[in-house]
Amino acid sequence: MYRVLLVDDEPNILSALRRSLSAIDARQLDGEALHFEMFTSPEAAISRSDEQDFDLVISDYRMPSMNGVEFLARIMELQPSVPRVIISGYADREAIIAAVNTVHLARFIEKPWDDQVLRQAVASILGSASGVERK
C-alpha cells in the first residue's frame, strides 16, 4: 500500500484530490492500493509525518500558517527521501523555481489541475519509487 499525505487548507480541494487520485488504476501502481491521510493544517501534517512514513507528499503552495515550500522543507527534515509535489494556482515563476531548488520537487502542478495529468504524475512518481524499500 502506498501512503499519500495530502495537505491543503481547503477541505474541498483535499476531497477533490482524493477523488481524482483514487481513480488511478492499481495496475499502474504494481497492484498496490493508495491510502490517503489528509490535513488542512500543515503543522498537524508535520506532526503526523514524525509518526508515519509516507510514499508521497502533495501540498498546496499558499496556506495561511506557512507556504508549501516551508512545509515541505520541514517534511524533508523528517523524511528526506519522500517525493514531494506542490499544487498551486499561484504560478509565479520565481516561486516555482524556489520550490524546485529548495525542496527538490518531484513535480509542480498548476490549479486547476487536469485529473489525467495529476494521475499520470502520481503513478509515475510512485512507480519510480517502487524499487525503493517501503515500510
Side-chain angles (χ1 to χ4, degrees):
M1 174 182 343
Y2 287 109
R3 294 187 164 281
V4 180
L5 176 63
L6 303 175
V7 182
D8 194 300
D9 59 306
E10 297 181 45
N12 60 332
I13 297 293
L14 290 173
S15 294
L17 282 169
R18 182 185 62 215
R19 235 183 348 267
S20 177
L21 296 175
S22 292
I24 294 175
D25 188 330
R27 290 175 293 188
Q28 291 181 278
L29 302 172
D30 298 325
E32 297 284 338
L34 294 176
H35 171 78
F36 302 101
E37 292 197 33
M38 303 185 306
F39 293 88
T40 56
S41 161
E43 293 84 3
I46 290 166
S47 179
R48 179 65 176 144
S49 296
D50 195 30
E51 304 164 351
Q52 174 65 57
D53 288 335
F54 289 96
D55 298 297
L56 176 63
V57 178
I58 300 176
S59 173
D60 186 21
Y61 179 75
R62 290 184 125 176
M63 297 181 283
S65 59
M66 70 176 72
N67 70 40
V69 173
E70 294 165 335
F71 166 70
L72 291 174
R74 300 273 304 275
I75 293 295
M76 279 180 64
E77 293 171 9
L78 298 171
Q79 299 184 30
S81 62
V82 69
R84 295 166 291 279
V85 173
I86 285 183
I87 295 183
S88 181
Y90 183 66
D92 177 325
R93 179 179 162 85
E94 296 303 314
I96 295 168
I97 291 169
V100 170
N101 291 336
T102 303
V103 296
H104 311 287
L105 291 180
R107 296 281 197 293
F108 185 99
I109 298 173
E110 289 186 72
K111 285 181 185 174
W113 64 83
D114 176 288
D115 283 332
Q116 188 61 29
V117 170
L118 176 65
R119 289 181 200 125
Q120 287 174 344
V122 167
S124 173
I125 291 166
L126 291 175
S128 68
S130 65
V132 177
E133 184 178 323
R134 293 178 295 134
K135 295 181 182 176

